[in-house]
Amino acid sequence: MPADLAVIGLGHHGLPLAQAATAAGIATVGFDTDPRPVAELAAGRSPVDGSLSTPEVRRMLAGGFRATTSPVELGRVRTAVLCSPTPLGPDGALDLTAVTDAARALAARLRPHTTVLLESPVPPGTTEGPLRELLEAGSGLRAGRDFHLAYSPGRLDPGNRLHGPAATPKVIGGLTPACTESAAAFYGRFTDKVVRARGPREAETVKLLETNFRHVNIALVNEMAMLCHELGVDLWDVIRCAETKPFGFQAFRPGPGVGGHAVPVERLGAHRPLRLVELAGEVNQRMPRYVVRRAAALLNEHGKSARGARILLLGITYKPDLADREGSPADEIAHRLMDLGAAVSFHDPYVPDWRVREQPVPRADSLYEAAAHADLTVLLQHHRVYDLQGLAVKAQLLLDTRGATPAGSAHRL
């Protein structure tokens, strides 16, 4: 049965888009060249990255969603959305290899009147430049005349029940006004509000600004955390008071590092570097080392050495109440603690097993028992299932990197 929509790239971004479209009654097919997520989805199982739960996947299948590795499906849809990953390359610029591969696969089967949308993070100019060229060269069609082309920045906050796809405005920048309106008509089927940008470059730059805004502000509050510790100031109380200001301030909170799929973009190809973003990246990358230093200092203050110490890490995912470990600082923290000679174990209700340096890390089955046995317990991620007040009582020594424990019950970052 032909689908109305093809979502190209079944990762952390493409799958939720396919879920929202399917829930809205849009006949959707998901395409990926990697057979592993396709096989998992076809079997009704949650993908490895945990972007959707197994019940959510089964509801999608019941709603008519299909996952495939066959590019033939791409030539049978009215709308195609590219959601391919664009990780940072060695030079700090976005790697567009997966996007260009997806564009070539689509171009070979592109039909007239199709609406092509790009949602992957890309440097400004990608949609009307390289993407347009690949699609036109591979199809023999002209963008803006024979098919519609537009960019819409992905705005996904995994696990956020308040701001799902319907409640999150979609920004759209089309190659032509007609392209913008075609894209708006598509997104309007499952999104409450559509915001029209002046063009694709402006829409692409929206994603750049939103992602870098987050990382720069996290870096600021992380530096404040280090400063406040040196000054003997309670940063968490500072944030509590500061966020009462009704203008000119948005509260961010420190943590052991920055994880997730939205990476800060320091360089845009040959364009000049974003110096402030580079500095923010340096600050955030230091946080795992800072947590390890704080852990070693706490042990020292209580007459114990990091070498031989039993250290329990709680919550190793990048975000609370999710199984996704993309970019989680837990790996580096565990690695560095092991280098100090510590015996590291972990507890996470969403992660059944964990390997660091290709070695399995022991998983604690009983949280309270493990905390009572450990010389130091480090809270890296605050999952809702954790009773932190009870944990603070059971743990010999507790380092809270999230400011989640009651004041005075633990050592905070």
Side-chain angles (χ1 to χ4, degrees), residues 239-251:
I239 295 172
R240 179 185 66 83
C241 295
E243 65 183 345
T244 63
K245 185 180 180 182
F247 55 90
F249 182 81
Q250 180 179 347

Side-chain angles (χ1 to χ4, degrees), residues 152-216:
S152 180
R155 284 177 161 177
L156 177 67
D157 189 12
N160 191 323
R161 299 176 183 179
L162 181 62
H163 297 293
T168 304
K170 284 294 290 182
V171 173
I172 298 164
L175 190 65
T176 66
C179 291
T180 297
E181 293 311 310
S182 179
F186 165 70
Y187 284 115
R189 297 171 71 180
F190 58 92
T191 302
D192 293 340
K193 184 177 181 180
V194 170
V195 179
R196 292 162 174 80
R198 179 168 292 181
R201 287 176 181 263
E202 285 76 14
E204 290 163 337
T205 310
V206 167
K207 181 64 176 179
L208 176 72
L209 176 60
E210 291 175 349
T211 300
N212 286 342
F213 175 86
R214 171 178 176 254
H215 282 264
V216 167

Side-chain angles (χ1 to χ4, degrees), residues 106-331:
L106 175 61
R109 295 157 184 86
L110 189 61
R111 298 188 307 173
H113 312 300
T114 303
T115 299
V116 180
L117 306 167
L118 176 61
E119 287 204 5
S120 306
V122 294
T126 300
T127 302
E128 61 183 348
L131 178 60
R132 176 183 183 175
E133 293 166 7
L134 285 169
L135 293 173
E136 291 183 341
S139 67
L141 303 175
R142 284 283 302 277
R145 185 190 69 184
D146 304 316
F147 67 94
H148 297 298
L149 180 62
Y151 182 84
S152 180
R155 284 177 161 177
L156 177 67
D157 189 12
N160 191 323
R161 299 176 183 179
L162 181 62
H163 297 293
T168 304
K170 284 294 290 182
V171 173
I172 298 164
L175 190 65
T176 66
C179 291
T180 297
E181 293 311 310
S182 179
F186 165 70
Y187 284 115
R189 297 171 71 180
F190 58 92
T191 302
D192 293 340
K193 184 177 181 180
V194 170
V195 179
R196 292 162 174 80
R198 179 168 292 181
R201 287 176 181 263
E202 285 76 14
E204 290 163 337
T205 310
V206 167
K207 181 64 176 179
L208 176 72
L209 176 60
E210 291 175 349
T211 300
N212 286 342
F213 175 86
R214 171 178 176 254
H215 282 264
V216 167
N217 281 280
I218 290 175
L220 171 62
V221 79
N222 278 339
E223 279 218 298
M224 289 296 297
M226 291 183 271
L227 173 66
C228 286
H229 176 67
E230 294 172 6
L231 297 176
V233 171
D234 185 346
L235 172 66
W236 305 97
D237 191 56
V238 172
I239 295 172
R240 179 185 66 83
C241 295
E243 65 183 345
T244 63
K245 185 180 180 182
F247 55 90
F249 182 81
Q250 180 179 347
F252 282 76
R253 287 166 175 78
V258 181
H261 299 268
V263 294
V265 182
E266 301 171 3
R267 291 181 178 274
L268 300 175
H271 298 279
R272 69 175 182 86
L274 298 172
R275 185 61 183 139
L276 184 60
V277 180
E278 286 184 327
L279 291 171
E282 293 171 10
V283 171
N284 292 331
Q285 288 165 14
R286 287 205 307 264
M287 291 309 292
R289 282 173 280 170
Y290 178 70
V291 170
V292 171
R293 287 201 303 271
R294 287 288 305 277
L298 272 176
L299 286 166
N300 210 331
E301 289 170 12
H302 289 77
K304 297 177 181 178
S305 169
R307 181 169 296 280
R310 300 181 297 269
I311 300 181
L312 173 67
L313 302 180
L314 299 186
I316 62 170
T317 61
Y318 92 87
K319 196 172 185 184
D321 307 313
L322 291 177
D324 197 340
R325 293 184 46 251
E326 178 70 25
S328 170
D331 292 76

Side-chain angles (χ1 to χ4, degrees), residues 61-86:
L61 295 176
F65 173 76
R66 293 181 291 111
T68 182
T69 57
S70 172
V72 173
E73 299 278 1
L74 303 180
R76 301 172 178 171
V77 297
R78 291 193 298 174
T79 306
V81 186
L82 281 69
C83 298
S84 305
T86 53

